[in-house]
Amino acid sequence: DEAAAEGARITARAGQLPRLSGSGQYYPWQRDIRLRADGSKDRLNSDRLTYYLNMSQPIYHWGALRNATRIGEIQLKAAEGQTAETYRLLVQAIRAQYLQVIISKKTLVRTRFSQKLAEADFALAQDKLASKVIAPSAMFSVQMNLDQAKLSTDQAEEAFASARRTLAKLAGVAELTEDEIPDEIPVLDDKSVLMQSMLQEAIGEGDKAPPSYALEGLHD
């Protein structure tokens, strides 16, 4: 988009630049008839070359050419602002996906722990069944709980892997491993100098509107 806007700006500005045009013709063996003072005529053959050059410079077009150039410059600036806005949205998407990956890891840890509990319950039920403390029919619900726990773990692992792949593609890096993902979301200090400066920049001063590429484009 920026390249197309730059091309449009160059095209619009071309109307303000000087223009040079020319043409030429060559006539080999051109026959000429010349009249003498006594009334006689001479006929002769000669080569003839004719050419034409013209140079012009637009001086005043009621501001139309100047305004067309200005419009091209504004369109280029708007395209650059849209690119910056796209980068901002990309960073926002990366941050959101980063948090989602951490949440997916926490979910996986919880489902793995639940599976261990289900496996422990199943082992205990088998011991009770061997000791004839419970009936064989009581193993059905214990087995179902274990199967469901394993299925939940498989789903959580696939969701975690998919979230890591998405984050890696958004960030343009190789696929992330499980160990590269932190276990906790770091706590931000809202009293830090950086946070205060960012807050002040977003709020603005007085009636000044917060920075926005969309608003800058509308203003232009």
Side-chain angles (χ1 to χ4, degrees):
D1 290 342
E2 285 186 29
E6 174 65 15
R9 184 196 67 81
I10 294 174
T11 302
R13 182 175 177 271
Q16 293 183 282
L17 301 179
R19 177 176 300 177
L20 177 65
S21 61
S23 63
Q25 289 180 324
Y26 174 68
Y27 302 94
W29 295 96
Q30 181 71 28
R31 174 170 293 183
D32 290 339
I33 300 177
R34 298 182 179 180
L35 184 63
R36 293 183 176 182
D38 59 1
S40 62
K41 297 179 179 180
D42 284 341
R43 291 179 173 85
L44 54 90
N45 295 329
S46 63
D47 295 339
R48 178 178 297 177
L49 173 64
T50 61
Y51 60 88
Y52 167 81
L53 290 176
N54 178 62
M55 183 175 182
S56 62
Q57 168 65 52
I59 301 297
Y60 193 67
H61 280 233
W62 299 98
L65 298 180
R66 183 190 68 244
N67 291 338
T69 301
R70 177 59 180 155
I71 289 174
E73 294 173 353
I74 292 175
Q75 290 175 342
L76 174 60
K77 186 177 180 181
E80 293 173 348
Q82 291 170 359
T83 300
E85 177 68 11
T86 302
Y87 276 117
R88 187 189 68 81
L89 294 176
L90 174 61
V91 172
Q92 181 178 338
I94 292 175
R95 289 173 176 172
Q97 186 62 28
Y98 175 71
L99 297 178
Q100 184 61 45
V101 169
I102 297 178
I103 295 175
S104 297
K105 184 176 183 179
K106 299 291 288 185
T107 302
L108 178 59
V109 171
R110 186 180 69 249
T111 54
R112 285 173 176 172
F113 181 71
S114 298
Q115 180 179 339
K116 289 182 179 180
L117 293 179
E119 291 172 349
D121 291 342
F122 182 77
L124 179 61
Q126 283 184 322
D127 292 340
K128 291 182 178 181
L129 179 63
S131 302
K132 297 183 179 180
V133 176
I134 60 174
S137 59
M139 291 294 299
F140 177 77
S141 60
V142 180
Q143 181 68 52
M144 288 297 297
N145 291 336
L146 178 59
D147 293 342
Q148 183 63 44
K150 291 181 179 180
L151 179 60
S152 298
T153 301
D154 291 341
Q155 292 175 339
E157 289 179 349
E158 178 58 31
F160 182 45
S162 177
R164 295 201 316 271
R165 288 194 298 268
T166 302
L167 177 61
K169 289 183 180 295
L170 282 175
V173 298
E175 185 170 346
L176 303 171
T177 63
E178 182 175 345
D179 296 335
E180 292 178 300
I181 306 301
D183 297 328
E184 300 289 343
I185 299 176
V187 179
L188 294 178
D189 182 11
D190 57 355
K191 297 181 181 180
S192 65
V193 177
L194 177 60
M195 292 293 292
Q196 289 297 325
S197 62
M198 294 176 63
L199 177 61
Q200 188 62 34
E201 181 182 356
I203 295 177
E205 299 178 359
D207 297 333
K208 183 180 178 181
S212 169
Y213 295 111
L215 290 179
E216 289 181 3
L218 292 174
H219 176 75
D220 290 335

